[in-house]
Short mmCIF file of all heavy atoms in Angstrom, two decimals:
data_model
loop_
_atom_site.label_atom_id
_atom_site.label_comp_id
_atom_site.label_asym_id
_atom_site.label_seq_id
_atom_site.Cartn_x
_atom_site.Cartn_y
_atom_site.Cartn_z
N SER A 407 -5.20 8.32 -13.68
CA SER A 407 -5.82 8.60 -12.40
C SER A 407 -5.19 7.73 -11.32
O SER A 407 -4.71 6.62 -11.60
CB SER A 407 -7.32 8.32 -12.46
OG SER A 407 -7.56 6.92 -12.52
N PRO A 408 -5.18 8.21 -10.08
CA PRO A 408 -4.64 7.37 -9.01
C PRO A 408 -5.41 6.06 -8.85
O PRO A 408 -4.83 5.02 -8.54
CB PRO A 408 -4.75 8.25 -7.76
CG PRO A 408 -5.70 9.33 -8.12
CD PRO A 408 -5.58 9.52 -9.59
N GLU A 409 -6.73 6.11 -9.08
CA GLU A 409 -7.54 4.89 -8.96
C GLU A 409 -7.09 3.83 -9.96
O GLU A 409 -6.95 2.64 -9.61
CB GLU A 409 -9.02 5.21 -9.15
CG GLU A 409 -9.63 6.07 -8.07
CD GLU A 409 -9.43 7.56 -8.30
OE1 GLU A 409 -8.75 7.94 -9.28
OE2 GLU A 409 -9.95 8.34 -7.49
N ALA A 410 -6.84 4.25 -11.20
CA ALA A 410 -6.41 3.31 -12.23
C ALA A 410 -5.03 2.75 -11.91
O ALA A 410 -4.77 1.56 -12.06
CB ALA A 410 -6.42 3.98 -13.59
N PHE A 411 -4.15 3.64 -11.47
CA PHE A 411 -2.79 3.19 -11.12
C PHE A 411 -2.82 2.20 -9.97
O PHE A 411 -2.17 1.15 -10.03
CB PHE A 411 -1.92 4.39 -10.75
CG PHE A 411 -0.60 4.00 -10.16
CD1 PHE A 411 0.46 3.60 -10.96
CD2 PHE A 411 -0.42 4.02 -8.78
CE1 PHE A 411 1.67 3.22 -10.41
CE2 PHE A 411 0.81 3.64 -8.21
CZ PHE A 411 1.85 3.24 -9.03
N LEU A 412 -3.54 2.52 -8.93
CA LEU A 412 -3.58 1.65 -7.75
C LEU A 412 -4.17 0.29 -8.07
O LEU A 412 -3.69 -0.74 -7.58
CB LEU A 412 -4.36 2.33 -6.62
CG LEU A 412 -3.68 3.55 -6.00
CD1 LEU A 412 -4.66 4.32 -5.12
CD2 LEU A 412 -2.44 3.14 -5.21
N ALA A 413 -5.19 0.26 -8.90
CA ALA A 413 -5.79 -1.02 -9.29
C ALA A 413 -4.79 -1.85 -10.07
O ALA A 413 -4.65 -3.07 -9.83
CB ALA A 413 -7.05 -0.77 -10.12
N ARG A 414 -4.09 -1.22 -10.99
CA ARG A 414 -3.09 -1.94 -11.80
C ARG A 414 -1.91 -2.40 -10.94
O ARG A 414 -1.42 -3.52 -11.10
CB ARG A 414 -2.61 -1.01 -12.92
CG ARG A 414 -1.59 -1.59 -13.85
CD ARG A 414 -1.47 -0.75 -15.12
NE ARG A 414 -1.26 0.66 -14.83
CZ ARG A 414 -0.07 1.20 -14.53
NH1 ARG A 414 1.00 0.43 -14.46
NH2 ARG A 414 0.05 2.49 -14.29
N ARG A 415 -1.51 -1.55 -10.02
CA ARG A 415 -0.42 -1.92 -9.13
C ARG A 415 -0.77 -3.12 -8.26
O ARG A 415 0.02 -4.06 -8.11
CB ARG A 415 -0.05 -0.73 -8.24
CG ARG A 415 1.19 -0.96 -7.39
CD ARG A 415 1.41 0.15 -6.39
NE ARG A 415 0.35 0.19 -5.38
CZ ARG A 415 0.38 1.00 -4.31
NH1 ARG A 415 1.37 1.85 -4.16
NH2 ARG A 415 -0.60 0.97 -3.42
N GLU A 416 -1.97 -3.10 -7.69
CA GLU A 416 -2.37 -4.20 -6.81
C GLU A 416 -2.50 -5.51 -7.58
O GLU A 416 -2.13 -6.58 -7.09
CB GLU A 416 -3.68 -3.85 -6.10
CG GLU A 416 -3.59 -2.67 -5.17
CD GLU A 416 -2.42 -2.76 -4.20
OE1 GLU A 416 -2.27 -3.80 -3.55
OE2 GLU A 416 -1.66 -1.78 -4.10
N GLU A 417 -3.02 -5.43 -8.78
CA GLU A 417 -3.17 -6.63 -9.60
C GLU A 417 -1.82 -7.25 -9.94
O GLU A 417 -1.63 -8.46 -9.81
CB GLU A 417 -3.93 -6.29 -10.89
CG GLU A 417 -4.13 -7.49 -11.81
CD GLU A 417 -4.86 -7.13 -13.08
OE1 GLU A 417 -5.25 -5.95 -13.24
OE2 GLU A 417 -5.04 -8.02 -13.93
N THR A 418 -0.88 -6.42 -10.36
CA THR A 418 0.43 -6.94 -10.75
C THR A 418 1.23 -7.42 -9.53
O THR A 418 1.96 -8.40 -9.61
CB THR A 418 1.23 -5.89 -11.53
OG1 THR A 418 1.33 -4.68 -10.76
CG2 THR A 418 0.54 -5.57 -12.85
N ALA A 419 1.07 -6.73 -8.40
CA ALA A 419 1.76 -7.16 -7.19
C ALA A 419 1.24 -8.53 -6.72
O ALA A 419 2.02 -9.39 -6.28
CB ALA A 419 1.58 -6.12 -6.09
N ALA A 420 -0.06 -8.72 -6.82
CA ALA A 420 -0.64 -10.01 -6.43
C ALA A 420 -0.12 -11.13 -7.31
O ALA A 420 0.20 -12.24 -6.83
CB ALA A 420 -2.16 -9.93 -6.50
N LEU A 421 -0.01 -10.87 -8.60
CA LEU A 421 0.53 -11.88 -9.52
C LEU A 421 1.96 -12.25 -9.14
O LEU A 421 2.33 -13.44 -9.12
CB LEU A 421 0.50 -11.35 -10.96
CG LEU A 421 -0.86 -11.25 -11.64
CD1 LEU A 421 -0.72 -10.54 -12.98
CD2 LEU A 421 -1.45 -12.65 -11.84
N LEU A 422 2.77 -11.26 -8.84
CA LEU A 422 4.17 -11.53 -8.51
C LEU A 422 4.29 -12.26 -7.19
O LEU A 422 5.06 -13.22 -7.07
CB LEU A 422 4.94 -10.21 -8.47
CG LEU A 422 6.44 -10.33 -8.19
CD1 LEU A 422 7.13 -11.23 -9.20
CD2 LEU A 422 7.09 -8.94 -8.17
N ARG A 423 3.52 -11.86 -6.20
CA ARG A 423 3.61 -12.50 -4.89
C ARG A 423 3.21 -13.97 -4.95
O ARG A 423 3.71 -14.79 -4.18
CB ARG A 423 2.74 -11.74 -3.89
CG ARG A 423 3.40 -10.48 -3.36
CD ARG A 423 2.50 -9.66 -2.49
NE ARG A 423 3.27 -8.69 -1.69
CZ ARG A 423 2.82 -7.53 -1.27
NH1 ARG A 423 1.57 -7.16 -1.56
NH2 ARG A 423 3.57 -6.73 -0.55
N GLN A 424 2.33 -14.31 -5.87
CA GLN A 424 1.92 -15.71 -6.02
C GLN A 424 3.02 -16.58 -6.60
O GLN A 424 3.04 -17.79 -6.39
CB GLN A 424 0.69 -15.79 -6.92
CG GLN A 424 -0.59 -15.24 -6.29
CD GLN A 424 -1.73 -15.18 -7.29
OE1 GLN A 424 -1.62 -15.59 -8.44
NE2 GLN A 424 -2.86 -14.63 -6.85
N LYS A 425 3.95 -15.96 -7.33
CA LYS A 425 4.95 -16.72 -8.07
C LYS A 425 6.33 -16.77 -7.44
O LYS A 425 7.15 -17.60 -7.81
CB LYS A 425 5.08 -16.15 -9.49
CG LYS A 425 3.87 -16.42 -10.38
CD LYS A 425 3.72 -17.90 -10.66
CE LYS A 425 2.55 -18.18 -11.60
NZ LYS A 425 2.41 -19.64 -11.88
N ILE A 426 6.62 -15.87 -6.50
CA ILE A 426 7.96 -15.87 -5.93
C ILE A 426 8.01 -16.84 -4.74
O ILE A 426 7.03 -17.04 -4.04
CB ILE A 426 8.38 -14.46 -5.49
CG1 ILE A 426 7.39 -13.85 -4.49
CG2 ILE A 426 8.53 -13.55 -6.71
CD1 ILE A 426 7.80 -12.49 -3.97
N PRO A 427 9.18 -17.44 -4.51
CA PRO A 427 9.29 -18.43 -3.43
C PRO A 427 9.23 -17.79 -2.05
O PRO A 427 9.42 -16.57 -1.89
CB PRO A 427 10.67 -19.06 -3.68
CG PRO A 427 11.42 -18.03 -4.44
CD PRO A 427 10.42 -17.31 -5.29
N GLU A 428 8.98 -18.61 -1.04
CA GLU A 428 8.86 -18.12 0.33
C GLU A 428 10.15 -17.46 0.81
O GLU A 428 10.12 -16.53 1.60
CB GLU A 428 8.49 -19.27 1.27
CG GLU A 428 7.07 -19.77 1.11
CD GLU A 428 6.71 -20.83 2.14
OE1 GLU A 428 7.54 -21.05 3.06
OE2 GLU A 428 5.63 -21.42 2.04
N LYS A 429 11.30 -17.94 0.32
CA LYS A 429 12.58 -17.41 0.77
C LYS A 429 13.03 -16.19 -0.03
O LYS A 429 14.14 -15.69 0.15
CB LYS A 429 13.65 -18.50 0.70
CG LYS A 429 13.42 -19.64 1.68
CD LYS A 429 14.55 -20.64 1.64
CE LYS A 429 14.33 -21.76 2.65
NZ LYS A 429 15.44 -22.76 2.64
N ALA A 430 12.17 -15.70 -0.89
CA ALA A 430 12.49 -14.50 -1.66
C ALA A 430 12.54 -13.30 -0.72
O ALA A 430 12.02 -13.33 0.40
CB ALA A 430 11.43 -14.27 -2.73
N PRO A 431 13.15 -12.19 -1.16
CA PRO A 431 13.13 -10.98 -0.34
C PRO A 431 11.70 -10.56 -0.02
O PRO A 431 10.78 -10.78 -0.79
CB PRO A 431 13.81 -9.94 -1.25
CG PRO A 431 14.68 -10.75 -2.17
CD PRO A 431 13.92 -12.02 -2.40
N ARG A 432 11.54 -9.95 1.13
CA ARG A 432 10.24 -9.42 1.49
C ARG A 432 9.86 -8.33 0.50
O ARG A 432 10.66 -7.43 0.22
CB ARG A 432 10.28 -8.84 2.91
CG ARG A 432 8.96 -8.25 3.37
CD ARG A 432 9.11 -7.64 4.75
NE ARG A 432 7.88 -6.97 5.18
CZ ARG A 432 7.78 -6.25 6.30
NH1 ARG A 432 8.82 -6.13 7.10
NH2 ARG A 432 6.63 -5.68 6.60
N LEU A 433 8.67 -8.40 -0.05
CA LEU A 433 8.23 -7.47 -1.09
C LEU A 433 7.28 -6.44 -0.50
O LEU A 433 6.23 -6.80 0.04
CB LEU A 433 7.55 -8.23 -2.22
CG LEU A 433 7.11 -7.43 -3.44
CD1 LEU A 433 8.31 -6.78 -4.12
CD2 LEU A 433 6.36 -8.33 -4.42
N LEU A 434 7.66 -5.17 -0.59
CA LEU A 434 6.79 -4.07 -0.19
C LEU A 434 6.41 -3.27 -1.43
O LEU A 434 7.20 -3.17 -2.37
CB LEU A 434 7.50 -3.15 0.82
CG LEU A 434 7.89 -3.78 2.16
CD1 LEU A 434 8.63 -2.76 3.03
CD2 LEU A 434 6.66 -4.31 2.90
N ILE A 435 5.21 -2.71 -1.42
CA ILE A 435 4.71 -2.01 -2.60
C ILE A 435 4.63 -0.52 -2.32
O ILE A 435 4.11 -0.08 -1.30
CB ILE A 435 3.30 -2.53 -2.98
CG1 ILE A 435 3.31 -4.06 -3.07
CG2 ILE A 435 2.86 -1.92 -4.30
CD1 ILE A 435 4.29 -4.64 -4.05
N GLY A 436 5.16 0.25 -3.26
CA GLY A 436 5.09 1.71 -3.17
C GLY A 436 4.86 2.28 -4.56
O GLY A 436 4.12 1.74 -5.36
N SER A 437 5.54 3.37 -4.85
CA SER A 437 5.45 3.98 -6.18
C SER A 437 6.63 4.94 -6.35
O SER A 437 7.28 5.33 -5.38
CB SER A 437 4.14 4.77 -6.33
OG SER A 437 4.16 5.93 -5.51
N GLU A 438 6.89 5.28 -7.59
CA GLU A 438 7.76 6.41 -7.90
C GLU A 438 6.83 7.45 -8.53
O GLU A 438 6.49 7.37 -9.70
CB GLU A 438 8.87 6.02 -8.87
CG GLU A 438 9.81 7.17 -9.18
CD GLU A 438 10.93 6.80 -10.14
OE1 GLU A 438 10.96 5.64 -10.61
OE2 GLU A 438 11.77 7.67 -10.43
N THR A 439 6.41 8.37 -7.69
CA THR A 439 5.39 9.34 -8.10
C THR A 439 6.04 10.58 -8.70
O THR A 439 6.93 11.18 -8.10
CB THR A 439 4.51 9.72 -6.91
OG1 THR A 439 3.76 8.57 -6.50
CG2 THR A 439 3.54 10.84 -7.27
N HIS A 440 5.58 10.94 -9.88
CA HIS A 440 6.12 12.09 -10.59
C HIS A 440 5.49 13.36 -10.04
O HIS A 440 4.27 13.47 -9.92
CB HIS A 440 5.79 11.95 -12.08
CG HIS A 440 6.55 12.88 -12.97
ND1 HIS A 440 7.87 12.67 -13.31
CD2 HIS A 440 6.17 14.02 -13.60
CE1 HIS A 440 8.27 13.63 -14.12
NE2 HIS A 440 7.26 14.47 -14.30
N LEU A 441 6.33 14.32 -9.68
CA LEU A 441 5.82 15.57 -9.14
C LEU A 441 5.10 16.37 -10.22
O LEU A 441 5.61 16.59 -11.32
CB LEU A 441 7.00 16.41 -8.61
CG LEU A 441 6.65 17.81 -8.09
CD1 LEU A 441 5.73 17.72 -6.87
CD2 LEU A 441 7.93 18.57 -7.75
N CYS A 442 3.89 16.80 -9.89
CA CYS A 442 3.15 17.70 -10.76
C CYS A 442 2.50 18.76 -9.88
O CYS A 442 2.33 18.56 -8.67
CB CYS A 442 2.09 16.95 -11.57
SG CYS A 442 0.77 16.24 -10.58
N ARG A 443 2.14 19.87 -10.45
CA ARG A 443 1.50 20.94 -9.68
C ARG A 443 0.16 20.46 -9.12
O ARG A 443 -0.63 19.86 -9.83
CB ARG A 443 1.31 22.18 -10.56
CG ARG A 443 2.62 22.84 -10.97
CD ARG A 443 2.37 24.00 -11.91
NE ARG A 443 3.62 24.60 -12.36
CZ ARG A 443 4.35 24.15 -13.39
NH1 ARG A 443 3.95 23.08 -14.06
NH2 ARG A 443 5.48 24.74 -13.73
N GLY A 444 -0.06 20.73 -7.85
CA GLY A 444 -1.30 20.33 -7.21
C GLY A 444 -1.31 18.90 -6.70
O GLY A 444 -2.35 18.42 -6.24
N LEU A 445 -0.19 18.21 -6.78
CA LEU A 445 -0.14 16.82 -6.32
C LEU A 445 -0.61 16.70 -4.88
O LEU A 445 -1.25 15.70 -4.51
CB LEU A 445 1.29 16.28 -6.46
CG LEU A 445 1.54 14.84 -6.01
CD1 LEU A 445 0.78 13.85 -6.90
CD2 LEU A 445 3.04 14.52 -6.01
#
């Protein structure tokens, strides 16, 4: 479900942002969404 994916994405993104240095590349969050009928 999109809800489950978004929750997992936000959790993992927060973990990574806490660990990378300030001079790291700017991190933006998106997705690679698989096309399905009715998307």
Side-chain angles (χ1 to χ4, degrees):
S407 71
E409 293 85 356
F411 170 80
L412 291 168
R414 180 165 52 82
R415 187 188 66 174
E416 296 310 310
E417 180 181 358
T418 55
L421 287 173
L422 182 56
R423 281 174 163 151
Q424 290 173 3
K425 289 294 183 179
I426 57 177
E428 289 185 8
K429 294 184 178 180
R432 179 183 176 186
L433 184 62
L434 297 178
I435 309 302
S437 69
E438 181 180 3
T439 294
H440 194 77
L441 176 64
C442 66
R443 293 176 183 84
L445 179 66

